[in-house]
Amino acid sequence: MQVSAVRTTGIYCRADCSAQPLPHNVTHYSNPVAAEVNGFRPCLHCHPERRAGSLADLDVPAPVQAALLRINDGFLDDHDEEALAAHVGYSARQLRRLFELHVGATPTTIARSRRAHFARSLIDDTDLTFAQIACAAGFTGPRQLHRAITSVFCFTPTELRSKRRRGEGPRLDGGLVLGIPYLAPYDFEAFTSHQAARVIPGVEAVTAYPTASDLKGFDSTGPRYVRSFAACGHPGIAEVMLPADTAVGAHWPTKAVSGSNWPDEATRRLQLRLHLPTYDSIIDAVSRCRALLGTDADPAPPTAALADDPLIGPLVGEAPGLRVPRSWDRFETAIRIVVNQQISLAAASTMAGRIAQRLGTPIDALSECCEGGPVPLSRLFPDAATLAGAGPSGLAGLGFTQRRIDTVVGVARAVASGEVDLCAADNLEAVVAQLCELPGIGPWTAHLIAMRVYGHDDAFPASDLGLRRAVEQLVGHPVSASELEALAEPWRPYRAWAAQHLWHAAARQASATR
């Protein structure tokens, strides 16, 4: 997100801020961190720090993008710049030079800013103590939190908490409630509809939330996505849902800014409720949630690129808030895709659930804690090392063919050994080529993993039966994989978004005909 910094006030703002400084006093930066490094603090009126968005979307060289992805995943919480540089094939000095040139800040500064901004959201949105916030955001203690917050925002944590509006404090009964900002428009119901067909039983679920009158004061209605996860070795449950002041079926909250058709930035949020025995380092869990939901993605570029297409354009117009769901856990998503080879979505969910049931960590004690009532969650999905260590015998008797067992275990071993890096920022062609070198992985699987796990906007599994049937409904005749590949050429570089619109349209049509 580009910001404008005003030298006479020491403040940086969003482009749409109502402030009108003299042009010769304004310096533009490609991202907020670069402005902060140069001594500017966020505007208290337009609150640029509350806007969704990610540094990973910057137009930077591939090694820098790979490093940004790792920073966003919390890599520098446990490693130093030397280790980060080694992962992307550079020396620490060269990586710092590239970061300062292309981002405007060093990797360490970006990691510190990431923690500071997350801590700021906890200061605004929760009543956690500053010691708890420091642990949750990855700081060593309140003193380090105080230094970081004061450096970035030019206010102490106490001063920031005193500035939050009356009534902004959350309810902490039954879990910690946080806001997940998004770039409007955003269609949460489209996400839950997509995810409902792909959930791994015991690990995640999509459920209908009770009406507001049944929630004992908990202000949310509509569908919710719930899943198990681990933070600092502790199992937990996350619930994502619409706030109560969001109209069901709408793409943004109904609260509007005076004189504007758009809601206030702070109201464009989903609700995330975390159930954990400790809130230490939950910053990484929140980042994973945002990645899965696609809330940081800007829908404007793909919408503009696809809106005039005679085939995809009408679908984009019907679902402007649609996003491409990515992954909460990269390895889990990759295995779920591999299991889905040549079988239905429902069968793949069942088979993936069997893997979790046999090799996953039990979390039964947490299944009753959710505010909307008990949820059918019982396991954490096994990590790559666990699945690789179990070997082919670990999957025996679960209904898999031997070929599928070999593929699943092969992917697990490749990830566990580091042969395949699911956080790499390689281009689409390189990712697909590397994945296709693994036994049992073809273009369909590789493109889906590139789309969901690596976040490639141009990934396109042209042989996907669902895509072909969706296009056949639009053109009125059968379409082969090669013909679909040719049809999709005008959709570059947003073929993944086009695919998501096709899947969404097909699902809506199937639902309407039931």
Side-chain angles (χ1 to χ4, degrees):
M1 176 185 68
Q2 189 177 70
V3 296
S4 301
V6 185
R7 292 187 294 276
T8 53
T9 62
I11 294 171
Y12 72 85
C13 304
R14 299 201 320 258
D16 56 353
C17 184
S18 59
Q20 296 182 337
L22 296 174
H24 64 267
N25 289 329
V26 176
T27 301
H28 298 286
Y29 292 97
S30 63
N31 62 84
V33 181
E36 292 162 9
V37 167
N38 285 277
F40 297 94
R41 69 164 176 83
C43 173
L44 294 177
H45 176 69
C46 68
H47 289 288
E49 79 281 359
R50 294 185 180 181
R51 181 177 173 84
S54 171
L55 289 177
D57 294 330
L58 292 177
D59 184 14
V60 295
V64 176
Q65 187 181 44
L68 285 170
L69 286 172
R70 288 189 175 276
I71 293 171
N72 195 54
D73 283 347
F75 185 86
L76 287 182
D77 294 343
D78 305 308
H79 304 81
D80 57 17
E81 283 189 356
E82 293 281 351
L84 178 65
H87 271 283
V88 297
Y90 281 86
S91 68
R93 180 179 179 181
Q94 177 69 352
L95 185 64
R96 283 194 296 271
R97 188 189 70 80
L98 287 174
F99 263 72
E100 289 171 348
L101 176 64
H102 295 285
V103 184
T106 66
T108 299
T109 301
I110 291 170
R112 184 170 61 248
S113 175
R114 171 178 177 262
R115 291 192 290 270
H117 280 269
F118 181 70
R120 169 68 189 272
S121 71
L122 294 181
I123 290 170
D124 285 344
D125 296 344
T126 78
D127 288 326
L128 294 176
T129 67
F130 294 140
Q132 290 173 314
I133 289 174
C135 291
F139 291 111
T140 57
R143 284 189 177 182
Q144 192 181 51
L145 169 70
H146 186 281
R147 286 196 299 270
I149 290 291
T150 304
S151 173
V152 172
F153 299 104
C154 298
F155 293 102
T156 67
T158 301
E159 289 171 332
L160 287 177
R161 178 155 278 178
S162 69
K163 290 177 182 295
R164 71 183 185 186
R165 294 190 297 272
R166 185 182 301 276
E168 279 193 350
R171 286 159 295 281
L172 293 178
D173 53 308
L176 176 68
V177 178
L178 302 173
I180 300 293
Y182 58 82
L183 297 173
Y186 184 86
D187 192 338
F188 181 65
E189 289 181 279
F191 164 79
T192 54
S193 175
H194 173 273
Q195 205 68 15
R198 295 163 175 82
V199 296
I200 300 176
V203 176
E204 54 183 346
V206 173
T207 67
Y209 219 87
T211 61
S213 61
D214 296 329
L215 286 176
K216 301 177 183 178
F218 183 57
D219 57 346
S220 182
T221 57
R224 61 171 176 162
Y225 170 73
V226 295
R227 69 160 294 123
S228 63
F229 71 101
C232 290
H234 299 285
I237 287 180
E239 301 178 83
V240 186
M241 60 216 84
L242 293 168
D245 58 0
T246 303
V248 176
H251 301 302
W252 50 78
T254 55
K255 292 180 179 178
V257 179
S258 178
S260 170
N261 292 326
W262 290 99
D264 181 83
E265 196 76 37
T267 68
R268 298 182 199 166
R269 296 189 174 199
L270 302 174
Q271 277 192 351
L272 168 64
R273 183 182 285 263
L274 298 174
H275 303 271
L276 278 165
T278 175
Y279 296 130
D280 292 1
S281 296
I282 59 171
I283 181 173
D284 296 330
V286 175
S287 292
R288 290 182 172 203
C289 179
R290 292 170 71 155
L292 171 65
L293 295 167
T295 51
D296 291 348
D298 187 352
T303 297
L306 300 172
D308 293 332
D309 184 86
L311 202 62
I312 293 295
L315 304 184
V316 174
E318 292 170 4
L322 196 67
R323 301 294 172 86
V324 181
R326 306 301 185 177
S327 61
W328 180 297
D329 182 289
R330 297 172 191 266
F331 175 71
E332 172 193 302
T333 302
I335 294 299
R336 172 64 178 75
I337 291 170
V338 170
V339 170
N340 200 180
Q341 291 176 338
Q342 299 177 330
I343 61 176
S344 68
L345 288 173
S349 290
T350 298
M351 301 298 279
R354 291 175 182 172
I355 295 177
Q357 186 67 28
R358 176 173 290 185
L359 300 176
T361 303
I363 59 164
D364 303 283
L366 289 172
S367 64
E368 302 289 327
C369 68
C370 297
E371 187 73 12
V375 293
L377 304 185
S378 60
R379 290 290 188 275
L380 297 174
F381 196 81
D383 60 17
T386 300
L387 193 48
S393 62
L395 301 181
L398 296 183
F400 291 103
T401 64
Q402 188 58 50
R403 181 177 181 180
R404 189 70 69 247
I405 289 175
D406 292 340
T407 302
V408 170
V409 174
V411 170
R413 288 174 174 170
V415 173
S417 68
E419 177 188 347
V420 170
D421 181 3
L422 297 179
C423 296
D426 296 335
N427 62 42
L428 176 61
E429 291 72 20
V431 167
V432 170
Q434 183 189 36
L435 290 174
C436 285
E437 290 177 358
L438 298 175
I441 301 296
W444 178 86
T445 306
H447 272 269
L448 272 178
I449 293 177
M451 179 191 300
R452 305 289 185 212
V453 177
Y454 290 87
H456 281 292
D457 283 337
D458 203 37
F460 191 74
S463 62
D464 184 83
L465 184 60
L467 287 181
R468 289 168 53 197
R469 286 178 174 172
V471 172
E472 287 171 5
Q473 290 293 325
L474 296 175
V475 300
H477 59 77
V479 176
S480 67
S482 58
E483 290 171 331
L484 179 54
E485 190 87 45
L487 278 173
E489 278 302 309
W491 306 338
R492 290 182 183 272
Y494 297 110
R495 293 186 301 173
W497 290 73
Q500 195 65 39
H501 278 284
L502 287 168
W503 281 317
H504 181 66
R508 284 192 304 173
Q509 185 175 29
S511 178
T513 56
R514 289 195 188 105

